């Protein structure tokens, strides 16, 4: 691979709202620069996990080094850094952007600007990136590039002359995009002789090479025989391999300031080498780290339990393996009377939770049951005994010990066609939100901002936003800190025994209806037992809803002749298996499906 | 070592029309009557099977002992002619022997078209009729898809009596969608007025043999028709556990008051008129069986059945000229000693006599029995020694007891 001087390097990302065609554009760019033969191209090369391809989103960032022969006759080294396209991963996006000087902004010609478009552009501008605006999908009959140009101009002050209209699907005008990257995105700066500062913008765990860090060098030169140090974690190691992705890994002897590549560290866990940390050389360390590092912090928590109790060990191993690759997951053993042994897991958001759960089920063949997701509450104790953090409603201290419960709030940005303004404001206020601002993006579309408790978003706000706007509204949100709330713990009791897995922290105004829904649902789902079973919802010792499951009166009185004997025995054997799979709360047998149904239904929370 | 079969079941797989709730092996319509009827052919095949089964028993060294009961079930065996019934009984008597006091039952549909030649059956040696009355309420009968009217039941009972039958059974169904407690009470009262010697009352049971894996090529059930499947799923919604329990209690009270002994979960009889044939099943006595879908038991460890498909049955038994007939396709189920003890307890507890305290102490069932005693579902009784029997509540919840009497899966 030819060495390319810093002046002819371009480091850039592609930012877009989900489904606006980021990955397809990346594929075309890879083809154009011959990184990939069109024939061996599997669609969306950068998304290497099956799940990413299925969900049409990019979960982990990837970086590819491209050789581009520009119209000026010169070879340029283009580093394309892919970014995750979901709000759950906005910290990762910001670190990827920090590794770049420019960003291609992709906007769908039919959809226009969406909530995440705005969020991502603001992140890019905050990093001082040059934006190369691209309107994609101009091949669609519903494409309205002129309208989208108006939006870009009025909302983001992007002059229409700068906008490039492309069809990534059909390969139209991709060359113009690459030319614009070369012409508009500035080359990286950074003194090759200074002490080394490399930004970790992604990493993955490899069974042979340990943690492989994706790094953008801001200053200095890294040689393959050097020992490295991570400035935040303090971890040190010998470099096992230094290289760039073409997109297959290609070892190189050195990486120079401005370049993007990978370092195989031999480290045993991505915890030692987290996104945002600064890589330096142990022998001649930089005197300060690059700005912006923070530990990825879970925002959403849920209990994850194996359906079969004996799979607990396998679940633990699977979580350990995933955690090697994804430091943002947290997991702590917990046990539940109803669900047995499992783990309290923390995730960046609901999508992240869904992805991890699916990976556990798919890659490790586990059958799982997850409790209702919860946020982390800050509980101030009485008599100045300080504050505790609670991410599991059943662990909330007794009401008498609680001075106040605070919960995380977010600022939510919603982009929607204007006819849904009314219903979405109604939706937000009914989810304890307060309306903040409303701004017209064009004649038909508006940006509305609200402040909402995060707990409301993770319950059903997003689904309802989509259904009330017939799929047109988009959502982005960012944390704005903790606020005290009128929150209480709602317990569910079956035959007088609390069912820990169903405890919830609920706003006082909602507790009555939530409690009623829960007991009614459980009454339907719990089969009749040998005795009468009361199902109650209670706040402290105060029962707010009650249903009674009457005692079972009949369990089959049928004929039993010669041909029925074997058949009946087999049916009984099946019943017996079913009984053995049931979870026991006190003396009540509850089928796992009943928990699943309650936990999956929106009404549970 | 196997036991001598003292009971013979013969399955006649034809009805004039199919009832949507019925799970037995039955063909209806053109197969049951008219020029394309397959009845005669099937009867010929039954004769061939009878010989082959008798030969097989003889070859296995099982000594012949006269049959104590023969049961012609179906289907609607009353669709057979008296000659056909006579031929089968005569053949069975020749090959197995038939005790002079044997109970010989034929199932009869009450409709005038399928009631059959009752006097002829009696003359052929049948001495008990089992009448598929189901209900004495026209609406309930219509709901069940039955062809007959309530008054046909009384007519059939009268005709049987006139033909010289001293023993008769009425089959009744409860927990039928749309059935009111009053309707059920009227049916019971009406049934008692007809004065049969035996009454069977079953809660309508809507199973899915396909889901149970019983409808394959060698399965003992035929696939459920789409219409019946739809009917069952709708009917299930119209069933009600509480009504069923109430109706069972009504049946217990009415029949006890009329002097019937509640000798099995769903069966009542005048003392001395208990069905000997069915008792053979509940007591795990050996029984032989003929016909598609029929089940036999060697009395010890093997249950075997014929496949339900009539074509395969006929092809095996009535092959082309010059080819020797062979036994029809089917399957067997081997019962290990522990499962046999569990089975014996489950079947025995269906009876009012229950099981001996000794068999209730067998390790495989002891814990389940102790649970049932503690839960008030079983009780100790004294009947020629200490025994355990179900209580009235235990009868209603019998599956709760039975499921606890099964061997542990890993022990099997």
């Amino acid at each position: 691979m030819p060495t390319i001087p810093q002046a002819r390097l371009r480091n850039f990302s592609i930012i877009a709202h989900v489904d606006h065609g980021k990955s397809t554009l990346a594929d075309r760019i890879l083809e154009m620069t011959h990184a990939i033969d069109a024939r061996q191209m599997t669609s969306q090369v950068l998304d290497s996990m099956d799940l990413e391809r299925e969900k049409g989103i990019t979960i982990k960032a990837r970086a590819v080094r491209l050789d581009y022969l520009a119209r000026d006759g010169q070879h340029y080294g283009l580093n394309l850094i892919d970014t995750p396209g979901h709000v759950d991963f906005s910290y990762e996006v910001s670190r990827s952007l920090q590794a770049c000087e420019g960003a291609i902004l992709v906007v769908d010609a039919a959809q226009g600007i969406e909530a995440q478009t705005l969020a991502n552009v603001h992140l890019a501008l905050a990093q001082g990136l040059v934006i190369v605006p691209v309107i994609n999908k101009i091949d669609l009959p519903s494409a309205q590039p002129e309208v989208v140009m108006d939006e870009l101009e009025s909302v983001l002050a992007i002059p229409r002359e700068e906008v490039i209209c492309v069809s990534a699907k059909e390969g139209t005008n991709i060359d113009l995009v690459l030319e614009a990257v070369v012409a508009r995105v500035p080359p990286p700066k950074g003194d090759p002789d200074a002490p080394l500062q490399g930004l970790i913008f992604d990493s993955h765990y490899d069974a042979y090479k340990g943690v492989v860090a994706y790094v953008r060098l801001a200053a200095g030169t890294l040689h393959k025989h050097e020992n490295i140090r991570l400035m935040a974690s303090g971890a040190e190691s010998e470099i096992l391999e230094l290289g760039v992705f073409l997109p297959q890994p290609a070892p190189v002897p050195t990486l120079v300031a401005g370049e993007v590549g990978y370092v195989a560290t031999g480290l045993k866990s991505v915890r030692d080498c987290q996104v945002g940390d600064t890589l330096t050389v142990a022998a001649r360390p930089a005197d300060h780290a690059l700005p912006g590092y923070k530990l990825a912090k879970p925002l959403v928590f849920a209990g994850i339990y194996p359906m079969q109790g004996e799979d607990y060990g396998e679940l633990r191993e699977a979580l350990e393996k995933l955690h090697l690759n994804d430091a943002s997951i947290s997991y702590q053993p917990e046990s539940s009377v109803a669900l047995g042994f499992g783990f309290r897991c923390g995730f960046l958001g609901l999508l992240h939770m869904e992805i991890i759960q699916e990976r556990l089920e798919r890659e490790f063949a586990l059958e799982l049951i997850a409790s209702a997701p919860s946020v982390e509450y800050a509980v101030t104790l009485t008599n100045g005994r300080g504050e505790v953090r609670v991410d599991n409603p059943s662990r909330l201290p007794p009401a008498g010990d609680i001075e106040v419960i605070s919960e995380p709030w977010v600022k939510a940005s919603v982009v929607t066609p204007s006819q849904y303004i009314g219903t979405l404001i109604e939706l937000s206020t009914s989810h304890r939100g307060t309306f903040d601002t409303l701004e017209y993006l064009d004649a038909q579309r508006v940006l509305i901002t609200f402040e909402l408790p995060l707990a409301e978003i993770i319950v059903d706000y997003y689904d309802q936003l989509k259904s009330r706007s017939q799929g047109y509204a988009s959502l982005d949100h960012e944390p704005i800190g903790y606020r005290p709330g009128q929150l209480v713990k709602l317990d569910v009791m079956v035959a007088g025994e609390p069912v820990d897995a169903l405890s919830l922290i609920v706003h006082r105004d909602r507790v009555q209806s939530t409690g009623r829904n829960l007991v009614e649902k459980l009454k339907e789902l719990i089969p009749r037992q040998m005795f009468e079973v009361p199902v109650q919802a209670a706040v402290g010792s105060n029962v707010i809803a009650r249903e009674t499951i009457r005692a079972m009166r009949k369990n089959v009185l049928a004929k039993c002749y010669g041909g029925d004997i074997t058949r009946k025995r087999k049916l009984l054997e099946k019943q017996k298996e079913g009984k053995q799979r049931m979870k026991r709360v006190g003396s009540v047998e509850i089928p796992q499906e009943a928990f699943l149904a309650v936990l999956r239904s929106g009404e549970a929370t | 070592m196997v036991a001598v079969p003292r009971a013979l079941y013969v399955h006649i797989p034809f009805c004039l029309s199919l009832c949507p709730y019925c799970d037995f092996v039955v063909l209806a319509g053109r197969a049951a009557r008219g020029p394309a009827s397959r009845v005669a052919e099937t009867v010929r095949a039954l004769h061939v099977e009878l010989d082959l089964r008798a030969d097989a028993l003889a070859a296995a060294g099982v000594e012949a002992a006269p049959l104590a009961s023969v049961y012609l079930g179906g289907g609607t065996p009353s669709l057979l002619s008296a000659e056909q019934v006579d031929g089968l009984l005569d053949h069975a008597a020749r090959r197995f022997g038939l005790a002079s006091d044997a109970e010989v039952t034929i199932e009869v549909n009450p409709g005038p078209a399928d009631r059959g030649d009752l006097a002829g059956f009696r003359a052929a040696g049948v001495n008990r009729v089992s009448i598929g009355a189901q209900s004495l309420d026209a609406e309930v009968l219509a709901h069940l898809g039955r062809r007959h009217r309530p008054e046909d039941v009384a007519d059939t009972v009268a005709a049987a009596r006139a033909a010289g039958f001293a023993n008769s059974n009425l089959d009744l169904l409860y927990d039928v969608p749309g059935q009111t407690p009053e309707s059920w009470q009227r049916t019971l009262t009406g049934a008692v007025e007809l004065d049969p010697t035996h009454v069977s009352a079953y809660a309508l049971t809507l199973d899915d043999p396909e889901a149970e894996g019983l409808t394959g090529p060698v399965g003992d059930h035929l696939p459920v028709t789409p219409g019946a499947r739809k009917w069952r799923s709708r009917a299930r919604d119209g069933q009600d556990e509480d009504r069923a329990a109430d109706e069972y209690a009504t049946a217990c009270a009415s029949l006890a008051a009329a002097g019937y002994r509640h000798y099995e979960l769903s069966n009542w009889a005048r003392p001395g008129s208990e069905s000997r044939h069915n008792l053979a099943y509940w007591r795990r006595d050996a029984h032989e069986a003929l016909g598609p879908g029929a089940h036999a038991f060697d009395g010890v460890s093997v249950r075997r059945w014929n496949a339900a498909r009539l074509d395969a049955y006929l092809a095996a038994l009535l092959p082309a000229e010059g080819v020797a007939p062979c036994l029809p396709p089917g399957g067997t189920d081997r019962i290990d000693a522990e499962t046999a003890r569990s089975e014996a307890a489950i079947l025995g507890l269906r009876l009012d006599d229950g099981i001996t305290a000794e068999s209730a102490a067998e390790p495989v069932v002891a814990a389940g029995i102790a649970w049932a005693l503690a839960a008030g579902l079983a009780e100790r009784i004294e009947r020629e020694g200490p025994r355990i029997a179900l209580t009235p509540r235990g009868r209603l919840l019998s599956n709760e007891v039975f499921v606890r009497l099964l061997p542990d899966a890993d022990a099997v």
Side-chain angles (χ1 to χ4, degrees):
Chain A
M1 198 177 53
T3 319
I4 296 208
Q6 208 177 50
R8 277 190 276 124
L9 287 177
R10 299 292 183 270
N11 298 325
F12 69 100
S13 283
I14 308 178
I15 54 180
H17 190 76
V18 174
D19 276 344
H20 281 200
K22 181 176 63 149
S23 296
T24 314
L25 178 62
D27 288 351
R28 288 299 94 75
I29 290 176
L30 261 54
E31 273 173 34
M32 284 266 317
T33 55
H34 309 288
I36 306 261
D37 191 315
R39 276 167 309 162
Q40 31 163 273
M41 183 90 198
T42 52
S43 164
Q44 305 181 2
V45 172
L46 291 189
D47 298 345
S48 62
M49 266 189 280
D50 282 354
L51 261 179
E52 293 188 1
R53 227 166 263 161
E54 254 168 59
K55 288 191 184 278
I57 49 166
T58 310
I59 300 162
K60 296 292 281 183
R62 294 284 182 275
V64 187
R65 169 76 173 263
L66 309 166
D67 176 59
Y68 177 60
L69 178 58
R71 287 192 192 152
D72 62 10
Q74 304 247 51
H75 281 273
Y76 286 82
L78 307 186
N79 288 305
L80 166 55
I81 296 170
D82 203 17
T83 57
H86 190 275
V87 56
D88 281 4
F89 307 103
S90 57
Y91 172 67
E92 283 77 355
V93 176
S94 77
R95 292 312 88 193
S96 291
L97 294 178
Q98 198 186 335
C100 301
E101 281 75 37
I104 299 175
L105 167 67
V106 180
V107 182
D108 185 305
Q111 311 282 331
I113 291 176
E114 298 284 6
Q116 269 166 267
T117 317
L118 292 173
N120 286 333
V121 169
H122 290 136
L123 277 176
L125 291 174
Q127 302 282 353
L129 266 55
V130 169
I131 305 283
V132 177
V134 167
I135 294 180
N136 187 25
K137 306 196 192 179
I138 54 164
D139 55 302
L140 290 182
S142 54
Q144 293 182 296
E146 290 300 321
V147 174
V148 178
M149 279 188 217
D150 289 344
E151 279 188 4
L152 288 170
E153 195 153 26
S154 70
V155 181
L156 294 168
I158 292 173
R160 55 203 307 128
E161 312 67 69
E162 288 184 11
V163 178
I164 306 165
C165 291
V166 310
S167 163
K169 192 172 139 222
E170 297 184 347
T172 318
N173 290 345
I174 307 302
D175 52 337
L176 296 184
V177 176
L178 288 173
E179 283 299 316
V181 167
V182 166
R184 301 185 203 167
V185 176
K189 295 198 274 284
D191 178 1
D193 301 320
L196 189 82
Q197 282 177 312
L199 171 73
I200 309 291
F201 62 86
D202 195 5
S203 62
H204 76 259
Y205 181 79
D206 180 287
Y208 301 102
K209 298 175 187 169
V211 175
V212 177
Y214 296 46
V215 61
R216 150 73 199 263
L217 296 195
T221 302
L222 184 59
H223 301 277
K224 68 175 179 187
H225 297 303
E226 283 173 319
N227 283 350
I228 50 145
R229 175 188 301 166
L230 278 310
M231 296 184 74
S233 74
E236 289 193 15
S237 86
E238 201 179 317
I239 295 177
L240 299 185
E241 190 177 308
L242 198 61
V244 295
F245 290 103
L246 298 172
Q248 73 283 4
V252 296
T254 56
L255 283 175
V256 186
E259 284 191 311
V260 172
Y262 69 86
V263 181
T265 63
L267 292 170
K268 288 294 163 242
S269 163
V270 288
R271 261 166 298 180
D272 293 329
C273 186
Q274 297 209 22
V275 170
D277 203 344
T278 300
L279 180 95
T280 191
V281 173
R284 190 187 161 218
D287 57 2
H288 65 275
L290 296 165
Y293 172 73
K294 60 180 185 188
L295 267 174
K297 213 169 151 314
L299 290 175
V300 172
F301 299 83
I304 300 228
Y305 293 85
M307 288 273 214
Q308 321 296 341
E310 64 267 25
D311 287 346
Y312 175 79
E314 272 176 66
L315 173 59
R316 190 185 47 226
E317 279 170 33
L319 281 167
E320 275 166 11
K321 275 186 196 149
L322 288 186
H323 191 246
L324 286 178
N325 232 333
D326 184 349
S328 60
I329 317 170
S330 67
Y331 62 101
Q332 293 283 332
E334 76 170 3
S335 68
S336 148
V337 176
L339 302 178
F341 290 95
F343 292 91
R344 193 74 191 167
C345 298
F347 308 95
L348 297 175
L350 271 195
L351 178 79
H352 189 216
M353 169 170 164
E354 202 180 306
I355 288 166
I356 296 299
Q357 203 181 333
E358 276 195 51
R359 288 189 62 189
L360 288 169
E361 291 183 337
R362 212 179 280 193
E363 295 168 29
F364 300 91
L366 290 164
E367 271 188 289
L368 302 174
I369 179 168
S371 69
S374 164
V375 298
E376 186 177 59
Y377 295 91
V379 180
T380 310
L381 301 173
T382 49
N383 301 325
R385 280 173 298 156
E387 184 190 278
V388 289
R389 294 279 172 146
V390 175
D391 59 30
N392 180 347
S394 68
R395 299 267 183 282
L396 199 69
D401 292 349
I402 297 175
E403 181 81 46
V404 67
I405 303 177
S406 299
E407 62 181 324
W409 278 61
V410 296
K411 180 178 170 184
S413 308
V414 175
V415 171
T416 176
S418 53
Q419 69 259 40
Y420 304 116
I421 294 174
T423 180
L424 295 185
I425 289 181
E426 199 274 322
L427 170 71
S428 305
T429 50
S430 73
H431 282 72
R432 301 194 279 136
T434 54
F435 168 77
D436 213 358
T437 62
L438 187 147
E439 184 187 336
Y440 271 84
L441 302 178
D442 59 42
Q444 278 83 44
R445 287 161 22 100
V446 295
L447 165 67
I448 322 174
T449 58
F450 301 99
E451 293 182 353
L452 282 162
L454 177 63
E456 299 286 335
I457 296 214
I458 68 173
V459 176
D460 66 343
Y461 181 80
Y462 182 71
D463 291 341
Q464 288 213 24
L465 181 95
K466 281 290 179 194
S467 80
R468 290 196 188 198
S469 67
Q470 294 171 312
Y472 283 112
S474 59
L475 171 72
D476 195 86
H477 56 83
E478 54 179 304
I480 51 173
Y482 274 69
R483 294 180 186 176
Q486 292 287 311
L487 301 169
V488 293
K489 181 177 158 211
L490 176 65
D491 288 315
V492 173
M493 288 178 294
V494 172
E497 295 274 336
V499 185
D500 50 6
L502 298 180
S503 287
L504 294 170
I505 292 175
V506 189
H507 192 262
R508 197 171 280 287
D509 292 347
R510 201 80 72 71
V511 76
Q512 188 70 43
S513 60
T514 306
R516 176 115 305 278
N517 276 338
L518 264 173
V519 296
E520 279 170 12
K521 188 148 228 107
L522 280 168
K523 188 196 173 188
E524 277 169 45
L525 292 165
I526 299 178
R528 290 164 76 163
Q529 311 277 316
M530 296 285 298
F531 40 85
E532 190 174 278
V533 175
V535 180
Q536 297 159 300
V539 175
S541 58
N542 182 17
V543 173
I544 56 160
R546 177 191 163 117
E547 289 284 343
T548 303
I549 300 168
R550 282 172 305 148
M552 183 199 305
R553 292 192 55 200
K554 173 196 155 243
N555 187 353
V556 178
L557 280 166
K559 57 185 160 50
C560 183
Y561 297 141
D564 303 316
I565 293 169
T566 300
R567 180 182 185 189
K568 275 191 81 87
R569 197 187 70 232
K570 292 197 167 141
L571 286 173
L572 285 169
E573 277 164 3
K574 221 173 265 172
Q575 268 193 34
K576 179 176 176 174
E577 272 170 40
K579 263 187 196 297
Q580 283 165 342
R581 274 201 310 273
M582 288 207 199
K583 304 289 183 186
R584 269 169 199 80
V585 172
S587 51
V588 180
E589 291 172 337
I590 305 180
Q592 191 137 280
E593 297 74 52
F595 284 110
L596 276 180
V598 172
L599 292 173
R600 277 179 190 155
S601 74
E603 288 115 296
T605 37
Chain B
M1 196 217 58
V2 292
V4 187
R6 301 288 314 274
L8 172 69
Y9 177 76
V10 182
H11 189 73
I12 309 297
F14 300 102
C15 282
L16 293 187
S17 64
L18 291 181
C19 298
Y21 56 87
C22 174
D23 255 3
F24 288 106
V25 175
V26 172
L27 293 110
R30 292 195 309 156
R33 66 169 157 187
S37 160
R38 312 188 68 180
V39 176
E41 218 186 335
T42 304
V43 171
R44 276 196 289 132
L46 287 167
H47 279 283
V48 179
E49 189 188 5
L50 193 152
D51 277 323
L52 292 176
R53 295 290 175 203
D55 293 346
L57 281 172
V62 179
E63 253 176 77
L67 295 167
S69 81
V70 178
Y71 195 102
L72 302 175
T76 309
S78 54
L79 291 176
L80 297 192
S81 67
E83 290 71 31
Q84 285 170 321
V85 170
D86 188 57
L88 284 167
L89 292 177
D90 185 56
H91 192 182
R94 271 187 284 118
R95 291 305 311 262
F96 294 99
L98 188 61
S100 58
D101 63 342
E103 173 191 282
V104 181
T105 307
I106 189 166
E107 287 182 345
V108 169
N109 255 352
D114 43 7
R115 192 178 299 154
D117 179 3
L118 289 167
F121 300 151
R122 182 70 196 93
V126 181
N127 55 27
R128 184 173 182 267
V129 286
S130 178
I131 301 168
Q134 318 309 351
S135 172
L136 298 178
D137 181 320
E139 230 175 282
V140 171
L141 287 173
H143 210 108
L144 287 170
R146 300 291 300 195
R147 296 164 59 91
H148 68 270
R149 302 163 305 157
E151 44 280 30
D152 292 334
V153 176
D155 291 352
T156 305
V157 171
R161 207 157 274 147
F165 284 98
N167 277 316
S168 57
N169 168 57
L170 291 184
D171 270 348
L172 302 176
L173 281 176
Y174 62 93
D175 200 14
V176 176
Q179 186 182 45
T180 61
E182 295 73 32
S183 154
W184 175 238
Q185 179 65 72
R186 280 197 303 276
T187 288
L188 286 166
T189 308
V192 167
E193 277 168 15
L194 294 174
D195 195 25
T197 51
H198 192 282
V199 175
S200 301
Y202 303 118
L204 178 64
T205 308
L206 301 166
D207 287 327
D208 182 354
E210 220 151 300
E212 293 171 45
L214 305 175
T215 58
V218 295
D220 59 352
H221 283 64
L222 292 173
V224 181
T225 65
R229 179 171 290 280
K230 221 159 110 194
W231 188 94
R232 288 180 200 189
S233 93
R234 243 195 345 255
R236 265 181 220 115
D237 296 336
Q239 292 195 295
D240 181 87
E241 179 180 335
D242 291 306
R243 178 185 61 190
D246 290 339
E247 289 180 335
Y248 185 66
T250 308
C252 294
S254 299
L255 294 167
Y260 291 91
R261 173 185 170 198
H262 190 177
Y263 75 104
E264 195 263 357
L265 287 183
S266 306
N267 285 279
W268 288 258
R270 297 271 182 228
S273 296
E274 296 83 1
S275 164
R276 261 192 252 169
H277 188 84
N278 290 334
L279 279 169
Y281 296 141
W282 301 321
R283 290 177 176 154
R284 294 186 88 243
D285 293 337
H287 50 90
E288 192 48 88
L290 310 174
H295 282 248
F297 178 46
D298 74 353
V300 183
S301 62
V302 178
R303 297 192 181 277
R304 67 142 194 94
W305 65 88
N306 289 339
R309 313 275 169 104
L310 182 65
D311 286 327
Y313 180 81
L314 296 177
L317 293 162
L318 305 175
E321 282 279 320
V323 180
C326 62
L327 286 169
T332 56
D333 196 18
R334 293 203 154 270
I335 314 285
D336 62 54
E338 196 165 55
T339 305
R341 282 190 282 272
S342 144
E343 210 178 75
I346 290 172
L347 291 168
L349 284 170
R350 299 184 71 87
L351 301 172
D352 63 345
D353 285 341
I355 55 176
T356 64
E358 195 187 350
S359 53
E362 290 282 358
V364 59
V365 298
I369 297 287
W371 175 87
L373 287 168
L377 302 187
E379 61 187 347
R380 294 174 203 284
I381 58 167
E382 197 65 39
R383 215 166 274 187
E384 294 166 21
R387 301 179 74 91
I388 307 285
L390 294 182
T391 60
R393 184 155 188 250
R395 292 178 167 200
L396 274 162
L397 296 172
S398 56
N399 269 8
E400 288 293 316
V401 179
F402 297 161
V403 81
R404 289 171 168 86
L405 302 180
L406 292 171
D408 284 328
D410 47 12
V412 174

